[in-house]
Amino acid sequence: MKKKTTIYDIAAKLNLTAATVSRALNDNKKISENTRKLVKQTALEMNYEQNTLARALKSGKSFNVGVIVPRMDSNFFASVIRGIEEELYPQGYHVIICQTHDQESLETGNINSLLNAQVDGVLMSISNSKANGKVFDSLFQKQVPLIFFDRKRDMEGISSVTIDDFDGAYTATKHLIDQGCKRIVHLSNNRSLEIFRDRYAGYKQALLDHGLEFDENLVIESASKIDEGRRITKEFLEMEHRPDGIFSSSDFTALGAIQEIKAHGLKIPQDICVVGFSNEPFTRFMDLSISSVDQSPIEMGRLTAQVFLEEVNNKKKLKTQKKIVLKPELVIRKSSQR
Amino acid sequence: MKKKTTIYDIAAKLNLTAATVSRALNDNKKISENTRKLVKQTALEMNYEQNTLARALKSGKSFNVGVIVPRMDSNFFASVIRGIEEELYPQGYHVIICQTHDQESLETGNINSLLNAQVDGVLMSISNSKANGKVFDSLFQKQVPLIFFDRKRDMEGISSVTIDDFDGAYTATKHLIDQGCKRIVHLSNNRSLEIFRDRYAGYKQALLDHGLEFDENLVIESASKIDEGRRITKEFLEMEHRPDGIFSSSDFTALGAIQEIKAHGLKIPQDICVVGFSNEPFTRFMDLSISSVDQSPIEMGRLTAQVFLEEVNNKKKLKTQKKIVLKPELVIRKSSQR
DNA sequence: TTGTACGCGTTATCAT
DNA sequence: ATGATAACGCGTACAA
């Protein structure tokens, strides 16, 4: 049982030709019912398994797709990937996961790497839109479908699956206003990314729509890290007019903010209300559970995969660019419920 | 720029033969320095890129390795994978990640899937050792290197990278004893897995070595989930002699235990000390930070990858089975420091 | 040092 | 309905 059995082996055994066997196995119409059954039967007996590599070489399809995320040890991305897998595995695809760790060089490197592995498509969440578009050109030229999820860049002809970040931010901010907050800080993030620009815009609009003053000084940008949340919060807690609400575009900075607020001896939600973004699991199981905006990541993954499948199966037709936008859901917990 | 350029194209352009081009590109010794440079130069100009699939078909190597984990949205596994990637990417390998979600059927399915994708090796952390070994047989027959990390099964000739779970458990339990705990509960997990058997054994030995009674009733087995931790803890909090220490083989059950203890109005660490296992990030950033045993996951990943590389490069020689055991480190935090 | 010729396992295009 | 043959792109033993 050392060598794998090929279609030649089974052809020899049946006094047939490899071509016939191939056809029978692939349910070609022009093959007799008899031989089809016979072939499939003996294929089973001989433990035949299709050589993916050979098929790939012949067809130009590798049945691998690349997924690029900033990192995968966040529940959000891990869940998106899970959704993608659920949709793709049954179709015989495999998923190659790459992480960029928010480094532009890795982003470029990963795409080239995947291209080199001859993936049939790339599903990605970009880390940085300042990156020049050259990398995407190579995907374009090779006709490799590219689909963005969550963190996209607006590109002609490229599909994407995102959530309505504006709406999520607007709802969260309005919720804070409803709780009586008058001076609401926004912990933002790299606004070269659409999602953070949109959350910023939603926050701003909610303030304006409800007669609150918008103050640029109450918006602070940082990385999505606990420590950053602490550092920033420390600053504005020492302001003259102390804020009484925080809308953070990240659960991690929200957590940092909460820690710092407590360290200052202030009460949540009595003194300050806090809402985060992403609905990471820990927001639920903290003693002081954290309100957050859920992004239905599994659904997002599934949809992304579906869009990919459509594109890859329609290659002949015109590329139908699709922009799917999901509706986020605010989950209200202790950190903002007075 | 539609078709990819092949070695034939560049051979034609230079009035050479594809074979020569192939050799030049692969730095074959028996090629003149001139043509080597010339070939490489024009290859660059013509945007040549090697067809991985063809090379794979010819050489039998796909330069893909499969990594199978129970789940990847735990920091531990995500970090191990990161370590693996750091080691493997520079060598031109890609990583295909599969999750079993602790389901045996998925474990089998994933292996077959990976085999079908013709991976050059499988690095895995098993979810369940009751599974029959048939799946592994197919790996064996196909000479595909298999390496276990963290959750292994003892198999002849198979290498593994693990931590010394006995030691970790022993140290953690001794720490609890040092804090004055007299009646220590062990929240265990599926003991068909070595790691949980070893942690159990380490706990037991620590008790015996320090003159404490070992009571089987204080050991409870459950899944690594917060809710399970709560449920179990509720039970023993109502015991006659209430325990005053908990050593949990999972950070998640430890967290559940802590929640339940607080719900009962008891104080940590005054009334009960708690130590978890894995050093998940949340153990550090909880208000009541949780003591835990660190498993240096990135290091574990790197070592696993290294062992794989050794095996795959030594195929001719005898398989040198390697069992690497890392030393865990107890991180003491508020939940157990009196 | 370079060319020739073949095989890797499939599938597609001719025939028959 | 089935067979013969070529082709996918690369690497390599053998020849020259």
Side-chain angles (χ1 to χ4, degrees):
Chain A
M1 198 96 251
K2 202 124 180 254
K3 289 211 148 244
K4 290 189 60 167
T5 69
T6 76
I7 50 174
Y8 281 96
D9 301 328
I10 132 163
K13 180 154 191 173
L14 295 177
N15 278 332
L16 284 176
T17 193
T20 312
V21 174
S22 171
R23 281 189 279 246
L25 256 21
N26 290 323
D27 285 322
N28 189 307
K29 306 128 209 278
K30 324 205 160 183
I31 216 82
S32 83
E33 195 55 32
N34 272 342
T35 44
R36 188 203 315 289
K37 285 203 170 175
L38 190 61
V39 166
K40 289 200 173 181
Q41 175 60 27
T42 50
L44 213 60
E45 287 168 4
M46 300 179 73
N47 277 316
Y48 169 75
E49 283 167 17
Q50 193 188 43
N51 183 320
T52 329
L53 261 26
R55 183 184 45 145
L57 174 59
K58 184 66 183 164
S59 68
K61 283 197 63 172
S62 69
F63 279 91
N64 278 141
V65 312
V67 175
I68 303 180
V69 290
R71 71 202 63 82
M72 65 182 197
D73 62 344
S74 94
N75 182 268
F76 173 71
F77 288 117
S79 299
V80 174
I81 291 172
R82 182 163 179 184
I84 292 173
E85 288 177 339
E86 283 176 0
E87 207 71 13
L88 252 34
Y89 277 155
Q91 308 292 325
Y93 284 91
H94 278 277
V95 170
I96 298 181
I97 299 167
C98 296
Q99 306 179 68
T100 63
H101 303 294
D102 284 319
Q103 289 168 42
E104 183 178 332
S105 62
L106 274 177
E107 194 160 58
T108 315
N110 279 332
I111 291 187
N112 287 331
S113 238
L114 290 173
L115 242 24
N116 196 41
Q118 281 157 280
V119 292
D120 297 338
V122 172
L123 318 183
M124 84 180 284
S125 203
I126 63 177
S127 352
N128 190 319
S129 55
K130 278 175 297 194
N132 62 27
K134 288 229 172 140
V135 216
F136 301 115
D137 288 351
S138 51
L139 283 169
F140 226 65
Q141 285 168 357
K142 297 189 182 174
Q143 319 252 40
V144 176
L146 168 65
I147 293 140
F148 289 125
F149 59 88
D150 193 49
R151 309 188 174 193
K152 74 178 164 100
R153 162 193 288 223
D154 246 327
M155 286 174 71
E156 181 63 23
I158 301 297
S159 298
S160 62
V161 181
T162 55
I163 63 152
D164 188 339
D165 287 284
F166 180 94
D167 180 80
Y170 189 98
T171 308
T173 308
K174 176 163 185 317
H175 163 65
L176 288 171
I177 296 171
D178 289 345
Q179 299 297 308
C181 298
K182 303 282 185 217
R183 198 167 158 72
I184 302 171
V185 158
H186 175 41
L187 304 187
S188 184
N189 202 321
N190 180 355
R191 260 171 291 159
S192 74
L193 288 171
E194 263 191 33
I195 57 169
F196 297 117
R197 276 204 303 278
D198 289 349
R199 292 177 197 176
Y200 168 79
Y203 153 81
K204 183 171 178 178
Q205 193 60 46
L207 293 186
L208 298 179
D209 284 357
H210 296 82
L212 290 187
E213 180 197 6
F214 169 74
D215 180 355
E216 188 68 61
N217 294 318
L218 295 186
V219 178
I220 309 168
E221 196 167 306
S222 83
S224 171
K225 294 188 189 267
I226 298 175
D227 292 343
E228 289 287 285
R230 290 200 74 140
R231 184 177 61 74
I232 290 166
T233 304
K234 189 173 165 60
E235 284 181 24
F236 72 69
L237 282 183
E238 288 157 358
M239 283 179 173
E240 206 167 356
H241 290 298
R242 178 169 51 68
D244 57 2
I246 299 178
F247 164 58
S248 170
S249 54
S250 149
D251 281 333
F252 294 95
T253 44
L255 174 59
I258 287 176
Q259 293 179 343
E260 193 64 26
I261 291 168
K262 284 184 180 168
H264 274 247
L266 295 169
K267 295 282 179 217
I268 300 172
Q270 294 81 351
D271 297 323
I272 305 184
C273 289
V274 181
V275 177
F277 213 105
S278 285
N279 201 16
E280 287 283 330
F282 71 80
T283 57
R284 203 183 53 236
F285 64 63
M286 301 292 290
D287 280 334
L288 177 75
S289 58
I290 306 175
S291 301
S292 191
V293 179
D294 185 76
Q295 304 175 273
S296 50
I298 293 197
E299 179 69 6
M300 185 181 287
R302 300 192 77 117
L303 285 168
T304 308
Q306 284 169 16
V307 172
F308 160 73
L309 288 172
E310 283 173 26
E311 292 203 5
V312 90
N313 293 331
N314 279 13
K315 251 197 169 152
K316 325 268 166 157
K317 305 181 191 173
L318 287 177
K319 279 238 171 121
T320 57
Q321 165 187 351
K322 223 171 182 175
K323 306 267 185 194
I324 297 180
V325 180
L326 299 172
K327 191 152 174 59
E329 187 189 358
L330 174 65
V331 182
I332 300 172
R333 301 200 180 89
K334 290 186 192 165
S335 71
S336 71
Q337 193 151 32
R338 281 178 171 163
Chain B
M1 185 92 234
K2 202 124 180 253
K3 290 211 146 245
K4 289 190 60 165
T5 70
T6 75
I7 51 174
Y8 283 94
D9 301 328
I10 134 164
K13 181 155 188 172
L14 295 177
N15 278 334
L16 284 175
T17 193
T20 313
V21 174
S22 171
R23 283 189 277 247
L25 257 20
N26 291 323
D27 284 323
N28 188 308
K29 307 123 207 284
K30 324 204 157 181
I31 215 81
S32 85
E33 193 57 33
N34 274 342
T35 44
R36 187 203 316 290
K37 286 204 171 174
L38 190 61
V39 167
K40 289 200 174 182
Q41 175 61 28
T42 49
L44 212 60
E45 288 169 3
M46 298 178 73
N47 278 315
Y48 169 74
E49 283 167 14
Q50 193 187 44
N51 184 320
T52 329
L53 262 25
R55 183 187 41 149
L57 176 60
K58 181 66 184 164
S59 67
K61 282 196 65 173
S62 68
F63 279 92
N64 278 140
V65 313
V67 176
I68 302 180
V69 290
R71 71 203 65 83
M72 66 184 198
D73 61 345
S74 96
N75 183 269
F76 173 71
F77 288 117
S79 299
V80 174
I81 291 173
R82 180 162 180 183
I84 291 174
E85 288 177 339
E86 283 175 0
E87 207 71 16
L88 251 33
Y89 276 156
Q91 308 292 325
Y93 284 93
H94 279 276
V95 170
I96 298 181
I97 298 167
C98 295
Q99 307 178 68
T100 64
H101 303 293
D102 284 318
Q103 290 166 42
E104 185 178 332
S105 61
L106 275 176
E107 195 160 57
T108 315
N110 279 331
I111 291 187
N112 287 332
S113 235
L114 290 172
L115 241 26
N116 195 41
Q118 280 154 284
V119 293
D120 297 339
V122 172
L123 319 183
M124 84 179 285
S125 202
I126 62 175
S127 351
N128 191 319
S129 53
K130 279 174 298 191
N132 61 28
K134 288 228 170 143
V135 215
F136 301 115
D137 288 352
S138 51
L139 283 168
F140 227 63
Q141 284 169 357
K142 298 189 181 174
Q143 319 252 38
V144 176
L146 167 67
I147 293 139
F148 289 125
F149 60 87
D150 193 49
R151 310 187 173 192
K152 75 177 161 97
R153 161 194 289 224
D154 245 328
M155 285 173 69
E156 181 64 22
I158 301 296
S159 297
S160 62
V161 182
T162 54
I163 64 153
D164 189 339
D165 287 285
F166 180 95
D167 181 81
Y170 189 99
T171 308
T173 307
K174 176 164 185 319
H175 162 65
L176 288 172
I177 296 170
D178 290 345
Q179 299 298 308
C181 299
K182 302 283 183 218
R183 194 166 161 73
I184 301 171
V185 158
H186 175 39
L187 304 188
S188 184
N189 202 321
N190 181 354
R191 260 172 289 158
S192 74
L193 288 171
E194 263 191 36
I195 58 170
F196 297 117
R197 276 204 301 279
D198 289 349
R199 292 178 196 174
Y200 168 79
Y203 153 80
K204 183 170 178 177
Q205 193 61 46
L207 293 185
L208 299 178
D209 285 357
H210 296 82
L212 290 188
E213 179 198 5
F214 168 73
D215 179 355
E216 188 68 61
N217 294 318
L218 294 186
V219 177
I220 309 170
E221 196 167 305
S222 83
S224 172
K225 295 189 187 259
I226 299 174
D227 293 343
E228 290 287 284
R230 290 200 74 140
R231 183 177 61 74
I232 290 166
T233 304
K234 188 173 166 58
E235 286 179 23
F236 73 71
L237 282 184
E238 289 157 359
M239 283 180 173
E240 205 168 357
H241 289 298
R242 178 167 54 66
D244 57 2
I246 299 179
F247 164 57
S248 169
S249 55
S250 148
D251 281 333
F252 293 96
T253 44
L255 174 57
I258 288 176
Q259 291 180 345
E260 193 63 27
I261 291 168
K262 285 184 180 168
H264 274 247
L266 295 169
K267 294 282 178 215
I268 301 171
Q270 295 81 351
D271 298 323
I272 306 184
C273 288
V274 180
V275 177
F277 214 107
S278 283
N279 201 16
E280 288 284 328
F282 72 79
T283 57
R284 202 182 55 236
F285 64 63
M286 300 293 290
D287 280 336
L288 176 75
S289 58
I290 306 175
S291 300
S292 191
V293 179
D294 186 77
Q295 305 173 273
S296 50
I298 294 197
E299 179 69 4
M300 185 181 286
R302 299 192 77 116
L303 285 168
T304 307
Q306 284 169 17
V307 172
F308 160 73
L309 288 172
E310 283 173 25
E311 292 203 4
V312 89
N313 294 331
N314 278 13
K315 256 205 165 147
K316 327 266 169 161
K317 304 180 192 173
L318 286 177
K319 278 238 169 127
T320 58
Q321 165 188 354
K322 225 172 182 175
K323 307 266 185 195
I324 298 180
V325 179
L326 300 172
K327 193 157 172 52
E329 188 189 356
L330 175 65
V331 183
I332 299 172
R333 301 201 179 91
K334 291 184 192 166
S335 70
S336 70
Q337 193 151 32
R338 281 178 171 164

